[in-house]
Amino acid sequence: MLYLDAAATSAVRREVLEAMWPYLTGDFGNPSSHHTVGESAARALADARATVADWLGCRPSDVVFTSGGTEADNLAVKGIALATPRGRHIVTTPIEHEAVLESVDYLKRIHDFEVTFVDVDPTGLVDPAAFAAALRDDTTIATVMLANNEVGTVQPVAELAAIARSHGVPFHTDAVQAAGWLDLDVSALGVDALSISGHKLGAPKGIGALFVRGRIPLEPVIHGGGQERGRRSGTENVAGAVGLAAAIRLGDAGRQERAEAASLARDAFVAAVLSRVPDATLTGHPVLRLPASASFVFPGTSGESVLLELERRGIVSSSGSACAAGSDEASHVLLALGFDEQLAQTAVRFSWGPEVGAPELATVAEAVIEAVRTVASITQ
Ligand code: PLP
């Protein structure tokens, strides 16, 4: 089987599991306990935090461990919006992950916030001038994802964050899909908050982190024993944090070379599909995109049927965002990019990890060509 759904999740790497093992067994302590078992767990947690901070170029105290990307997004959006005294206005885009969109909707419904959605162009890009125009004196947070999970478009986050800063507006970015491929140095990006998720990086599901700059006020979303400096209560997932740090260390070595090689292989894959599948269109930006993802619409098919045909040929991929699995509604991202509902239902997303290279992608391209031909001939 070829696994082309890395944007949904990836396997836990063996080295990651080995790093975690002691903290699930002998060193199982609670970091809040004042004895040697607890202190050992607290040291492991501090080391993991230092690794995440080093990777992001921030202070360890600016890292809050969470249960994943969804919680990091919730904490950033709700936590900053509710703690910022500027007012009750939020700026975001219509192509954010549900973790952001639903947090924004909650603030609107329950706390009377107003929301401005900055439109994206047909490639999924936010126009910095439109973003600037959306900011107001009462804007409490602006949140724009670094890379989109469905179409892979990478936003000009450094430029957007600089605009937000010049207006005094805290800026958050969801970097869940960008992690492992793009540089996440928070000073270079100029962001005030940034979300990541372990299971997209080779760490387990159930661990993630939010970077939030120390001076940014943050209202906790989960209340309790005051762990994570009061920003996220609950006994810490020590083994998960150790696993996240191990995955970061493994993934950071040679990242840039890997990303460049992946982009070249992706371009060849995209070219093969576009040249041989009639009317196929690549979704997202042609250049400003994640290195290891490509998503298409195949007119005259249904995405679900193409997926089944691909799976019969040993290739596992996705019709849209797996995070919204179970829903057969057209993707909100593709609709925001201007695709009509029918075309949006023909979308198939391929996303892969470092184990998939040019030879595997050539096999996938052949399977795509056959699968689309089969589905189109049945549909007609
Ligand atoms: N943000 C983006 C862009 C994602 O792609 C995902 C999951 O796919 C999430 C947030 C949610 O992350 P998690 O699955 O860790 O809750």
Side-chain angles (χ1 to χ4, degrees), residues 7-8 67-71 73 97 99 145 147-149 174 176-177 197-200 207 321 323:
S67 64
T70 297
E71 189 191 326
D73 283 345
H97 188 268
M145 69 203 317
N148 183 264
N149 46 309
D174 174 337
V176 167
Q177 293 293 341
S197 170
H199 72 107
K200 316 285 182 178
I207 185 73
S321 158
C323 307

Side-chain angles (χ1 to χ4, degrees), residues 239-274:
V242 168
L244 176 62
I248 286 171
R249 278 194 298 271
L250 283 169
D252 216 29
R255 177 188 56 80
Q256 203 158 344
E257 296 73 30
R258 217 172 30 251
E260 279 161 19
S263 298
L264 285 178
R266 175 207 62 204
D267 289 347
F269 170 62
V270 169
V273 171
L274 294 183

Side-chain angles (χ1 to χ4, degrees), residues 338-352:
F339 290 89
D340 68 34
E341 199 142 333
Q342 199 179 356
L343 200 49
Q345 299 279 16
T346 74
V348 178
R349 175 187 71 180
F350 302 93
S351 53
W352 56 95

